Amino acid sequence: MDKKEKKPQIRFIGFNDPWEQRKFAKVFKKISNNTFSRAELNYEKGTTKNIHYGDVLIKFGELLDVDKDLVPFVNEEIIINKSLSEKLTKGDIIIADAAEDETVGKCTELINLSDKIVISGLHTIPSRPVINFASGYLGYYMNSSSYHNQLIRLMQGTKVSSISKSSLQETTIIYPSSFEEQMKISNSFSQLNNLITLHQRKYNNSKKENKCMIKSIDKATLLHEYYAHWVHIYKEGAVRKVTMSKYKQTHLWLEKICPTLIISDLSRITYQKLLNDYAEFHERQTTMDFHHQLKAAILDAVDEGLIDRDPTRKAIIKGKIPNQKKAKFLNQFELQTLLSNLKLNNEINWDWFILLVSKTGLRFSEALALTPNDFDFSHQQLNINKTWNYKENGGFMPTKNKSSIRKVQIDWQLVIQFSSLIKNIEKDKPIFIYKNVYNSTINEILSRYCKSSNIPIISIHGLRHTHASLLLFAGVSIASVARRLGHSSMTTTQKTYLHIIQELENKDIDLVMRSLSGLIN
């Protein structure tokens, strides 16, 4: 039995019933979800409201009142055709199982649902409690630091953090057996949230006033405090939000695995032990990323005289056995099979988006930001000079780096096809943006095509890898591939496609040997 009684140290007056502790799998059952195309959704009428992963992503950490949010409708016959018959109800929760920032593992609890609701999109785990909980309790508990600390150990990935459904089943849910006490806790947190909202403006003003104040750092400072200070001074405002979230994750892990380590006590041995503790829960590449972020701060501490010698020298990078990886790219035959199954009609749709990324290797955000002005048909070029902020509220953003501003050659077929497709679209408007768009939507469409084509399932970013891989196999130089992809240096290209480069080197060795063996003595 995984049901246990808990004795919390702090209680509301008048409550003496025990608290209970159960595994996630004993508290929730999974709810089905699917993805609908833009043509299947309607913002004006329909039988059932549809919540998308992206609609709730910005609401993680809150209670979601769908009745007050603008979400599209989908008709019942479409739901039946997709074998998606289960509807959401009040009290259901939605958990993010993959994200590029700190929202991974966060939960939204649904409230005040007067209409039929379904959930669509990848990277979410919609679940329904099998136990009667007071409204709001689960939403607040599962966004608490206590529960989130359980999830940190389960997170995997480098660029995108994720939590597997099987790992989530083993987390622990703690709750008072008294429904009235649950309600008391929920109401208290609700009042606290309202109070926080009222004082948010005052806090922001205070934060601006104190921003110039620098915390005193000396040899007795804790390592995780020094690192947080270093990130604040050197990285805030200098790196993108996604990158900043990785620095924050590193700080959380420092607090967890070495909460009392003083910076002056950092030696090669203590640093190696720190890396080993981190590597118990992460693959080698993730540990390497952790090491690189931490090393940059530590070297600055050495320069400042806080540490006598570089403790990161000759560090050994370890990691747990990697999980079986999904395919990252397709071979030429598989790509041709995929593209031959696309439905390329006379209007812009996501099938055209898939074709364009396959033939250009653009990043997802770069392709979303394309406008008619970016097509130079006379020179068969795409001008890449901006990205689309699809993770927040939309809008144009700068490219990832200066090298990402580039011109990408396109073939004559794309020239003919897109010159006709975009002729009636406003010159400065994104050609693929209609409403909010999410990476998971396109990935789901691509996944369905991969399944029906009987080829490995890849992501939209996998099409970028596919494009680069085919160019390298065709003999295009690393320098040219790096420029086409918008990499800041050839080193990035070499690291990303090392396995392909090694395979090409083996072919070159065979060619050299054949050439030498043909020489006459």
Side-chain angles (χ1 to χ4, degrees):
M1 293 289 291
D2 59 6
K3 178 179 177 180
K4 299 178 182 178
E5 288 191 1
K6 300 289 292 183
K7 294 182 179 179
Q9 296 177 338
I10 302 175
R11 302 292 296 272
F12 286 101
I13 297 175
F15 294 100
N16 299 308
D17 294 331
W19 281 45
E20 297 181 6
Q21 174 178 303
R22 293 191 183 188
K23 295 291 187 184
F24 185 98
K26 298 292 184 181
V27 177
F28 297 101
K29 71 171 184 177
K30 189 179 181 303
I31 304 173
S32 302
N33 62 339
N34 209 319
T35 297
F36 304 99
S37 68
R38 185 165 58 185
E40 294 171 326
L41 301 176
N42 191 316
Y43 277 83
E44 297 178 356
K45 60 182 179 179
T47 56
T48 304
K49 285 186 176 180
N50 172 63
I51 306 174
H52 190 275
Y53 155 74
D55 295 325
V56 298
L57 185 61
I58 59 172
K59 299 268 187 176
F60 280 131
E62 302 180 16
L63 305 181
L64 180 64
D65 190 345
V66 182
D67 290 349
K68 295 181 180 179
D69 290 281
L70 180 62
V71 294
F73 290 93
V74 59
N75 285 321
E76 190 74 19
E77 59 269 20
I78 297 175
I79 297 173
I80 295 173
N81 290 337
K82 290 181 178 284
S83 301
L84 180 61
S85 57
E86 201 161 12
K87 309 297 189 302
L88 298 176
T89 62
K90 178 181 177 182
D92 289 346
I93 64 166
I94 303 172
I95 303 171
D97 68 0
E100 293 184 3
D101 55 27
E102 62 274 12
T103 57
V104 62
K106 288 296 186 178
C107 163
T108 291
E109 181 179 342
L110 305 177
I111 63 172
N112 298 336
L113 304 185
S114 60
D115 295 306
K116 294 179 181 179
I117 308 289
V118 290
I119 174 74
S120 69
L122 300 175
H123 306 315
T124 54
I125 305 177
S127 303
R128 176 166 300 153
V130 295
I131 300 169
N132 187 26
F133 285 97
S135 178
Y137 177 80
L138 287 173
Y140 290 123
Y141 169 72
M142 298 182 71
N143 286 296
S144 67
S145 58
S146 174
Y147 184 72
H148 204 58
N149 283 340
Q150 294 185 62
L151 300 179
I152 288 177
R153 288 178 172 268
L154 306 175
M155 293 182 187
Q156 300 176 346
T158 53
K159 294 183 179 179
V160 178
S161 298
S162 63
I163 300 172
S164 68
K165 294 177 176 61
S166 58
S167 296
L168 190 68
Q169 300 295 308
E170 295 302 313
T171 59
T172 299
I173 307 297
I174 301 173
Y175 58 93
S177 57
S178 167
F179 186 87
E180 288 74 19
E181 188 172 4
Q182 294 177 24
M183 186 165 293
K184 183 77 173 179
I185 293 171
S186 177
N187 290 339
S188 297
F189 275 111
S190 179
Q191 292 172 10
L192 181 61
N193 280 346
N194 291 336
L195 186 63
I196 290 172
T197 301
L198 289 173
H199 289 274
Q200 189 68 47
R201 183 175 297 175
K202 182 178 179 181
Y203 167 77
N204 288 337
N205 292 337
S206 175
K207 187 176 180 181
K208 289 178 182 178
E209 293 173 2
N210 295 329
K211 201 167 186 179
C212 61
M213 297 176 63
I214 301 177
K215 185 181 184 297
S216 176
I217 298 293
D218 55 33
K219 290 188 175 183
T221 302
L222 295 173
L223 174 62
H224 70 81
E225 289 181 344
Y226 167 78
Y227 182 78
H229 175 72
W230 180 85
V231 170
H232 171 68
I233 295 297
Y234 289 101
K235 298 302 176 182
E236 281 190 9
V239 298
R240 298 191 308 160
K241 183 178 178 181
V242 172
T243 306
M244 178 56 69
S245 70
K246 296 174 185 176
Y247 282 106
K248 290 180 179 179
Q249 284 289 341
T250 297
H251 177 244
L252 287 174
W253 272 98
L254 287 177
E255 285 185 309
K256 192 171 192 65
I257 59 184
C258 56
T260 60
L261 180 60
I262 296 173
I263 192 166
S264 60
D265 290 340
L266 197 59
S267 63
R268 284 188 61 202
I269 292 178
T270 54
Y271 184 74
Q272 186 64 57
K273 183 180 184 305
L274 187 159
L275 287 181
N276 293 348
D277 291 343
Y278 183 85
E280 284 186 33
F281 306 100
H282 300 85
E283 296 178 11
R284 188 178 184 280
Q285 183 57 54
T286 310
T287 306
M288 179 69 79
D289 294 341
F290 175 81
H291 163 64
H292 285 158
Q293 286 197 335
L294 192 52
K295 180 179 179 179
I298 290 174
L299 291 180
D300 281 349
V302 174
D303 290 344
E304 294 293 332
L306 301 176
I307 306 173
D308 294 333
R309 284 177 289 184
D310 177 14
T312 67
R313 188 173 65 89
K314 295 184 178 180
I316 306 299
I317 308 301
K318 305 176 184 178
K320 67 178 186 178
I321 298 174
N323 294 327
Q324 187 175 359
K325 301 296 184 183
K326 292 183 179 179
K328 287 188 176 180
F329 61 91
L330 304 174
N331 60 37
Q332 186 167 352
F333 172 76
E334 290 166 342
L335 180 61
Q336 287 174 336
T337 302
L338 169 67
L339 299 184
S340 66
N341 288 329
L342 295 179
K343 299 173 183 175
L344 303 173
N345 51 36
N346 296 325
E347 294 183 356
I348 285 287
N349 57 22
W350 293 120
D351 293 40
W352 284 110
F353 186 89
I354 292 171
L355 176 68
L356 184 67
V357 173
S358 300
K359 286 194 167 189
T360 60
L362 299 184
R363 296 180 178 94
F364 180 67
S365 58
E366 292 173 343
L368 287 178
L370 288 174
T371 68
N373 282 335
D374 297 322
F375 286 80
D376 184 352
F377 294 122
S378 60
H379 294 92
Q380 292 187 214
Q381 288 179 341
L382 281 177
N383 296 315
I384 309 304
N385 50 36
K386 56 190 174 301
T387 63
W388 186 258
N389 185 13
Y390 67 94
K391 293 178 181 176
E392 294 179 355
N393 298 318
F396 293 116
M397 290 179 62
T399 55
K400 185 176 183 179
N401 50 54
K402 289 183 178 180
S403 301
S404 297
I405 300 175
R406 62 199 190 278
K407 296 181 184 297
V408 176
Q409 290 293 134
I410 57 177
D411 61 78
W412 63 269
Q413 288 178 316
L414 279 183
V415 169
I416 294 173
Q417 291 165 331
F418 274 85
S419 60
S420 174
L421 284 168
I422 67 175
K423 62 183 179 182
N424 295 322
I425 299 177
E426 292 183 49
K427 298 300 181 183
D428 58 348
K429 297 294 184 183
I431 64 176
F432 291 106
I433 303 298
Y434 173 69
K435 291 287 185 180
N436 289 344
V437 60
Y438 311 103
N439 188 280
S440 59
T441 303
I442 319 304
N443 281 335
E444 176 62 21
I445 294 171
L446 179 56
S447 175
R448 290 203 298 266
Y449 273 121
C450 289
K451 289 177 183 177
S452 63
S453 303
N454 197 27
I455 60 176
I457 297 174
I458 62 169
S459 64
I460 197 72
H461 193 72
L463 291 178
R464 176 173 162 86
H465 288 314
T466 298
H467 181 79
S469 302
L470 294 180
L471 292 181
L472 289 170
F473 276 121
V476 179
S477 70
I478 296 174
S480 296
V481 173
R483 284 195 298 271
R484 187 171 177 86
L485 296 181
H487 285 165
S488 56
S489 71
M490 283 192 293
T491 303
T492 303
T493 315
Q494 289 171 324
K495 287 172 61 178
T496 305
Y497 302 103
L498 179 62
H499 60 295
I500 296 173
I501 294 170
Q502 289 173 338
E503 188 173 340
L504 291 173
E505 285 177 348
N506 291 336
K507 290 182 179 180
D508 288 343
I509 291 173
D510 292 339
L511 181 59
V512 169
M513 291 300 100
R514 285 199 302 270
S515 299
L516 292 178
S517 63
L519 294 176
I520 300 175
N521 292 330

